[in-house]
Amino acid sequence: MRPSRREFVKWVTASGIALSLSRLEAAEEPGFWARQTLPGRQGWNPAATGVGRIDGVAKVTGAKLYASDYRAADLPGWPAKTAHAILVRAPDATHVYTGMDLARLTGALKPTVVVTAADLVRAGTRVPEFYAGDLFCPVGRTPIYLGQPVALLLFEEFDAYDQARLKIRDGGFVRFAEETGAVVMPDFGAFRFTRVAGPTPEAPDVYSPVLAGWVSPGKFQNAERPIWTPLAIETGAAYAKAATYGGQIRTELAADNPNLLMLDREFETQSVDPMFLEPETGLAWFDSRREVLELVLGSQSPYEAAEALAYMLGQARSPFKPAAIKNLFAYMGGGFGGRDHTPFPLYVALAGIFLPGRPVRLAQDRYQQFQGGIKRHAFKMRTRIGVDRTTGKISGFAADHVLDGGGLANFSSSVATVAAVAAIGIYDIPKVDVTTVALHSRGVTAGSMRCYGTLQTITALETIIDEAAAALRLDPIEFRRRNALKTGGKTMTGNTYLDSVRTPEILDKLERHPIWQQRAVHKARGQQGGIAVGTGLACTNKNYGTGADCSLGRVEIDPQGRIAIHGDHTDMGNGIGTALANRVAAHLGGVADAVTVHDIESYAPLALVTSGNPYTMNQATQDAAGKNPRWVPEISSATAASNGAHVGTHAAAEAARVIFRFGLWPAALDLWGIAPTHPTARQWEAARWQDGQLVMPGLAPLPLSRIAAKVYARNGVTGAMAHAFSRWGWSRATFPVGGQTNAGQSWTADIDALAVRKGGGKYARIDRSNVKFPPTDNNRIGTVYSAMCATLMRVEIVRASGALRIAKAYSVLECGKALVPDIVLGQAQGGFAMGVGYTLLEHLPPYEGGPGNGEWNLGRYVVARGSDLPLHDLEIEILPPVRPDEPPKGIAEVVVKPVVPALLNAIFDATGRRFQSLPVTQDMLKGALA
Amino acid sequence: MTALTITINGRVVGPVDVRDELTMNDFLREHLGMTGTKFGCGAAQCLSCAIIVDNPDGTSHTSPTCVVSAVSFNGQKVRTVEGHAKNGELSALQKAFVDHFAFQCGYCTAGFLNEGQVLLERLAKTPVARTDLEKVVAEALDGHLCRCTGYIKYHEAVRDVILADAPRYLAKA
Amino acid sequence: MKSETRFQLLVPAAALTLSLLAGYAASQPASNTLALPESFASVSDTGARSVAMFTELGKVLTHPRCVNCHPAGDSPRQGEVGHLHQPPVTRGVDGHGSVTMRCPICHQKANFEPGRVPGHPEWHLAPRSMAWEGKTLREICEQIKDPARNGNRKVEELIHHIGEDTLVGWAWAPGFGRQPAPGTQKIAGALVAAWVETGAACPAK
């Protein structure tokens, strides 16, 4: 879709910098957004007939799509030549940094500009709170983590940059002096989650986080670690109460009770890298004449990146402060959480600001990506579980989690809480006490990575569950069945799930599967020969949604019935564009052929405003703010927490419903000759689309193109844009869509902002007449949305070498309505591979031996290849939705979770050894079988 | 410095002076703007950067471009992902990748396409038995890393292109 | 590329017995040195001197730069700890790789430092008969002398192979991130020559 004129869409941030987007460039050169709007009206749309993705053709033809594809010459209006930047990082965090050996870079190799901490002070930049910590380590300080940036080197010529990077990478370029040891910093967050159920399932809880609020322990003076015991002086009464109940739970677990099986196990997991194939890359051009900074970036959190950039430069001194920042967000070569809230965009912007007038490219190579990219947290966990020997029911659970958050805080605090709340998985346990703390260390920064801490805790859980079942001589599936949380049951935080809980079906599927049925036969086969055979399973769930999820969507239909969609969620491979097209097609009868994702700016008519923090604000504040019809708790959020299907497509779907109800439907009635007062006129929900035609019982089917022409002819609604917000439940508002001519016509839906366009006109905002935001108390909830996935597998391990082969595997999952079933299937297959790599292959040592030293690449870091996987022996089953209109659930993360413990449980079955740490390498397996 | 001439997708490029240490990957992406060929690791581990080299004897092979110099391709004929489609018509393999949903983020796709294409051309010259097909495909593709897909749909797409034209690619039973 | 440091070891004139040799080798401050043949002159027994020199040569033969391409299986190894070559490759029919992954595709005619990939015009795996991985010095010694397993060479031809062959010589100039083999190729060649001259005796184990 090519807009016909320049549209400058501006909003002004608190720092006074206008964030805007120019969406049309010169006609000859396809502009950025034209390239990113797919499939585009010129070519084949595979999604139209369900035979491919909207980005399918672009990706098989090598089209320019990713941030790393763009050079200045590809962007209309930019100077043609690209300069290049190197972000220099410290490979040491225990000595004082004294500077760089710039003498290596002389003559043609000399950088045009060197940007250091001193330059940032001079420029007056600020560090956004989320990224607190020096953007560059100043000379004379010890870096706070391995890989902390120390400088940017900017080169006007590619050849100079290319030769310089070879000169500086072989060690010794970044210089250090006296040893100080690591910088000690406070922990990133500590929490305790305690629940004591009432005497019956229906009775209210005695104590829970939902009832009492979330609590954190205090500290003693300046000690590094929190104090978990309830010392009233340091910790406060609220924490003391939780800790007292928690202490009782632990006492009961430790008691000498012959009727209680108590297992006390430790489990340790390793740091791993998301290893998305496209290293982080960006392009920046500071046009100092217009005072506009333009950037090309790839980010899962575009709105957050835009805000962080505006904040960083918001009080900069002239000539370092732009009047406006234009962000162009591109398709990403993988994400997995590693492109969500990363500091990389800040450095891209700095490169541009310090070489004004010249477009600059900052591209990490893979060594640098390993050195500076966000990692998965390494966890140390201690888990205690108590099971009643008579009933086989879990009576108590206590766990202590310690996370290595690395150098910057990033999401560590949040990961700790989500992981803790997920620690009891699918089970209903009446007494639970979990402590968690995320520590700072000098290691590489850990943050969001697929599963967000819950992969670690589910691994500890599903292996201890397996051990408990074995100790009680209970069938592992029966044990899980007995303890599974039922629909309506309370979670660890004390709330129920709002969506379907399908544990019984999933467990039945596992039980009936041939891999499970034949396990004894195969195990016996293994006992005679040179291979050991074992079968294992795990059953898991994962929340989707973050508790403050936003969705922005804009949908338009043209006179020929062609559909365009804009959405603020992002594509890192998850196929959000195709999901958007399919979900909108259900309402509008046609698959969009112009889908623009990562678009945070095309919604200006909504004129949204926001304030405060949706996670922490109180009800009174929210009520007062919500009186402004343009206020929403948050404007746009990251594509994370498996929220693409449920959240990312929501606003566009709602916009499509408005177009149908107020545009297509009245036009269809007109074509059918049905008066607006006729009873049929109110039955718009009974209409169905079939093969591009609108079908109503007893009426002639109408093709979409005919209806669209009619909408334009009668100046009906042809476009809508909406905003939605979910805090474990959608905001809901009423909009007087009919306006004055149709006074009775109002529209109530799960959105909180709406603008519509009639015919070929402009968008006009419709202020909501009332709104109900989800209560702020919902912030006490762990999650209300959960999807399940279970995995069953049989492994064969060669005794002599320890080489493991997955002979057969089966994963079964449920996702509500699958918007694009082939993509769900692909996610499950990819998640399986990631789980295998995490269990058997991937490992990053902490600290000096790890990637912070700048020496790690693939080869040393091993991810799963095709030959590591059961390519023809992995069966994935996706359960149909529980009812035809079940909304979509997010599954991108849950499909990884059961793979890890299933593999460990299968390894136990084959070897008799329960491993307590990851990865389990070939050598370890060989040792176990020796 | 060397005066470099390469035929890329049938078009002669050069002679152009390039540094001897310039990688082929940078030559394609920086100098020619042909960013269909990707950069993944710079260590010949992932093969996102792989292109097709057409040998004088009529065979072809894939080569990484990240660890080899541009000048080492002097005088050679190569194909990149941009050259697969002819006159806007996708190749059978490209169509199969699309309709099999073979990729997700798509960053490794160019490498897989080049490898798959070389395999098809090799089988057309020396067909294999149907019973060996899965193994042959697996061996051909195993050098390519993918982090999104778990590889299965890539393998199925390549296999299905071969099965759809069995007389060409498979040995007579 | 690391510069090569050469150490000239000065051996005390006092008699060295066989039993001290192990301690001698272990006590050297840097493991990347190679003793000259002359330094064994004090070992009066010819057989013992021959064995001593072969043992010294063994530092080269069992060094990762050599063992990585003389593996026991069908895949080369990499690095100082000898992990399996990544990406996974196999010897194929001729030791030069499988059909789809031929060695010279990545390993060019010389080390390519921008990619940190080692190279040589003849880059390939040693045949299975020349596998040394996991073998004792005695086993390697017998194997290296056996024409059936050493490429049909007379023992004198090993002087050229080890002392002058340029693929072997790569081990001393392997490129960044790889420790060179001990000493120099010249010293290694001299050790082979001296070992051959003294009867090419093999160690007891």
Side-chain angles (χ1 to χ4, degrees), chain A residues 335-495:
Chain A
F336 311 115
R339 282 199 223 261
D340 180 6
H341 284 71
T342 88
F344 188 78
L346 302 176
Y347 296 103
V348 177
L350 289 173
I353 289 287
F354 279 90
L355 196 65
R358 295 294 314 276
V360 189
R361 181 174 193 254
L362 177 64
Q364 306 212 121
D365 66 21
R366 185 55 63 178
Y367 291 99
Q368 293 161 340
Q369 187 62 43
F370 269 109
Q371 189 176 30
I374 301 294
K375 303 285 176 283
R376 184 190 291 290
H377 288 79
F379 269 56
K380 284 187 162 74
M381 299 169 280
R382 182 178 174 196
T383 308
R384 275 166 278 188
I385 191 167
V387 188
D388 183 303
R389 289 185 187 275
T390 321
T391 61
K393 301 266 281 184
I394 305 168
S395 57
F397 179 98
D400 305 294
H401 302 154
V402 179
L403 289 67
D404 182 347
L408 296 180
N410 202 276
F411 274 127
S412 284
S413 178
S414 172
V415 170
T417 63
V418 175
V421 163
I424 59 170
I426 62 168
Y427 305 106
D428 185 0
I429 306 180
K431 293 183 182 176
V432 180
D433 183 50
V434 179
T435 70
T436 181
V437 59
L439 303 176
H440 160 82
S441 80
R442 68 188 187 282
V444 292
T445 299
S448 174
M449 185 179 161
R450 199 178 192 181
C451 299
Y452 210 72
T454 68
L455 183 59
Q456 295 88 316
T457 58
I458 206 70
T459 299
L461 175 72
E462 281 293 291
T463 49
I464 208 174
I465 287 285
D466 211 51
E467 200 181 339
L472 295 170
R473 296 194 206 291
L474 278 174
D475 176 86
I477 295 178
E478 173 53 29
F479 183 58
R480 288 174 167 83
R481 225 181 240 128
R482 238 179 252 192
N483 285 285
L485 185 72
K486 299 183 186 20
T487 302
K490 297 193 192 64
T491 62
M492 190 204 289
T493 42
N495 56 277

Side-chain angles (χ1 to χ4, degrees), chain A residues 33 122 184 214 438 443 464 704 752 779 861:
Chain A
W33 288 110
R122 191 167 52 88
V184 172
W214 288 21
I464 208 174
L704 172 60
D752 49 29
N779 283 322
Y861 188 77

Side-chain angles (χ1 to χ4, degrees), chain B residues 93-165:
Chain B
L93 197 56
Q94 285 172 309
K95 282 196 201 121
F97 275 22
V98 173
D99 66 34
H100 278 63
F101 290 80
F103 50 87
Q104 292 175 30
C105 84
Y107 199 75
C108 66
T109 301
F112 274 93
L113 273 173
N114 287 331
E115 197 72 62
Q117 187 59 35
V118 163
L119 174 65
L120 292 178
E121 292 168 13
R122 176 161 65 89
L123 293 184
K125 292 197 168 79
T126 43
V128 294
R130 171 66 185 90
T131 47
D132 290 334
L133 178 57
E134 276 78 6
K135 183 158 146 305
V136 165
V137 172
E139 271 169 6
L141 300 183
D142 203 43
H144 290 260
L145 279 185
C146 174
R147 193 55 159 162
C148 296
T149 68
Y151 307 99
I152 293 173
K153 286 168 181 291
Y154 271 126
H155 282 241
E156 289 173 346
V158 174
R159 179 201 64 194
D160 289 351
V161 170
I162 293 166
L163 290 176
D165 198 352

